[in-house]
């Protein structure tokens, strides 16, 4: 999570199990601007929003703007 500290955007490009178990609320709290680009559709839009992300984009799912 230290790598996300101060980041403006988190981009998920892989389906590794480590990325399926991220604490989204903690990540959003560490980031300067909590925006998520989930290019593997690992997380649901509702989960990203509930975790505090201000923007969510994915491939094939409706996101929400920041």
């Amino acid at each position: 999570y230290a790598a996300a500290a101060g980041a403006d955007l988190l981009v998920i490009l892989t389906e590794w199990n480590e990325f399926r178990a991220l604490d989204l609320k903690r990540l959003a709290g560490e980031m300067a601007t909590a925006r998520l680009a989930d290019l593997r559709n690992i997380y649901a839009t509702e989960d990203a929003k509930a975790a505090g992300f201000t923007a969510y984009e994915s491939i094939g799912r409706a996101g929400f703007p920041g």
Side-chain angles (χ1 to χ4, degrees), residues 5-33:
D8 290 316
L9 175 67
L10 172 65
V11 179
I12 297 177
L13 298 170
T14 182
E15 292 182 20
W16 292 351
N17 287 332
E18 293 84 357
F19 288 93
R20 292 182 181 279
L22 293 174
D23 182 342
L24 293 181
K25 187 171 264 191
R26 181 176 171 194
L27 273 171
E30 295 276 342
M31 297 174 70
T33 307

Side-chain angles (χ1 to χ4, degrees), residues 12-22 24 36-45 47 56-59 61:
I12 297 177
L13 298 170
T14 182
E15 292 182 20
W16 292 351
N17 287 332
E18 293 84 357
F19 288 93
R20 292 182 181 279
L22 293 174
L24 293 181
L36 175 60
D38 180 5
L39 303 181
R40 301 306 292 173
N41 294 332
I42 293 174
Y43 294 102
T45 305
D47 294 341
Y56 174 84
E57 293 295 331
S58 69
I59 297 182
R61 277 192 188 155

